[in-house]
Amino acid sequence: MANEAGGIGEGLDIGGQPREDLNKVTEEAVRRVQEQSQQAKQIQQQIQQDKASNNKLAQFLAFLMKTINNEHLIKHLYELFFKTKHPKTWVSYLRKKINTTVIIWLFYPFYKEEGKTFWVDSFFQALLDSDHPITLHLYISYIKKLSAKYHDNVPLDPELLLLFLSEIINHFGLFDTKSLSEEKQQEFIQHLKHDLYK
């Protein structure tokens, strides 16, 4: 009966020399596990950094929404960042996620001290010369730099963006657009468009 079942070592590679590649496979496996462990640690650290950054940005955004009491500015902000249109069908829908960084950077130059308090200045200060008071020219230059760095590739309605920026410029006293005639306001918006896209 034992002969029918075969020997204990039959068909197995035991009893001879140990396989030469046994240590090599083990070393490769250990190296692979170490690499994966290192990558997992890096990802975990990035998630923790992102969470901390997002918390800071969310707190600063909440501060902005409490502080800014310009009804037109808030309305334009909502229309521009919380709604979007499908590029092919032009159907409007609400976004699932907004780009908090983009919203904040539009307002940061006017709240630099508060930005330090909320620890968000590190996101923006390299792009804005804090030694000079903010002017219309500096603000537009700042927006162009920020757009290149922080844009999330979600298209914004260009006309609404220009209206929104015009409202910001007026609200924070960079240029009094409200005292202009309607024709001059349109000229200002065209000038703003030219400066932003050149």
Side-chain angles (χ1 to χ4, degrees):
M1 189 148 193
N3 288 340
E4 292 175 10
I8 294 178
E10 190 175 329
L12 299 176
D13 190 13
I14 60 172
Q17 292 290 335
R19 289 177 25 195
E20 291 178 18
D21 63 345
L22 186 62
N23 287 337
K24 185 176 180 183
V25 170
T26 304
E27 288 171 11
E28 285 178 21
V30 168
R31 184 185 52 76
R32 191 170 46 249
V33 168
Q34 287 174 337
E35 284 177 7
Q36 289 172 348
S37 175
Q38 181 65 28
Q39 290 171 350
K41 285 179 187 176
Q42 288 174 340
I43 291 169
Q44 185 178 15
Q45 288 171 347
Q46 185 64 48
I47 289 170
Q48 288 172 344
Q49 289 172 355
D50 286 351
K51 185 177 179 184
S53 297
N54 288 339
N55 285 339
K56 292 174 189 175
L57 291 170
Q59 289 172 352
F60 191 70
L61 183 59
F63 158 77
L64 288 174
M65 294 303 102
K66 288 179 189 173
T67 306
I68 299 169
N69 55 7
N70 181 323
E71 189 177 309
H72 297 292
L73 197 54
I74 300 300
K75 179 183 174 222
H76 288 316
L77 184 144
Y78 179 78
E79 293 290 325
L80 187 60
F81 291 102
F82 288 81
K83 287 184 173 182
T84 192
K85 289 181 181 176
H86 190 279
K88 292 182 181 176
T89 63
W90 290 100
V91 173
S92 292
Y93 59 93
L94 292 177
R95 291 185 188 180
K96 292 181 181 178
K97 184 179 177 194
I98 61 166
N99 189 335
T100 307
T101 308
V102 172
I103 295 173
I104 289 172
W105 60 250
L106 290 165
F107 295 100
Y108 173 77
F110 311 106
Y111 296 100
K112 289 185 274 190
E113 288 304 313
E114 292 83 355
K116 291 176 187 173
T117 304
F118 285 96
W119 300 90
V120 297
D121 54 327
S122 61
F123 291 94
F124 309 104
Q125 70 185 144
L127 301 170
L128 181 69
D129 187 355
S130 58
D131 294 338
H132 294 95
I134 193 73
T135 64
L136 180 58
H137 176 72
L138 285 176
Y139 184 66
I140 291 171
S141 173
Y142 165 76
I143 287 174
K144 288 164 75 170
K145 290 178 198 172
L146 283 165
S147 179
K149 182 167 183 169
Y150 287 117
H151 201 283
D152 61 359
N153 293 325
V154 174
L156 298 174
D157 181 325
E159 290 179 25
L160 192 52
L161 176 61
L162 290 169
L163 286 173
F164 180 63
L165 290 174
S166 176
E167 195 69 46
I168 288 175
I169 288 165
N170 184 70
H171 179 78
F172 291 101
L174 298 181
F175 188 81
D176 183 8
T177 60
K178 296 299 179 187
S179 65
L180 299 175
S181 67
E182 191 171 322
E183 183 181 330
K184 292 289 185 187
Q185 284 181 6
Q186 289 304 315
E187 284 179 22
F188 175 78
I189 288 175
Q190 289 305 312
H191 180 71
L192 182 61
K193 180 179 181 179
H194 177 265
D195 286 350
L196 281 174
Y197 298 114
K198 68 177 180 180

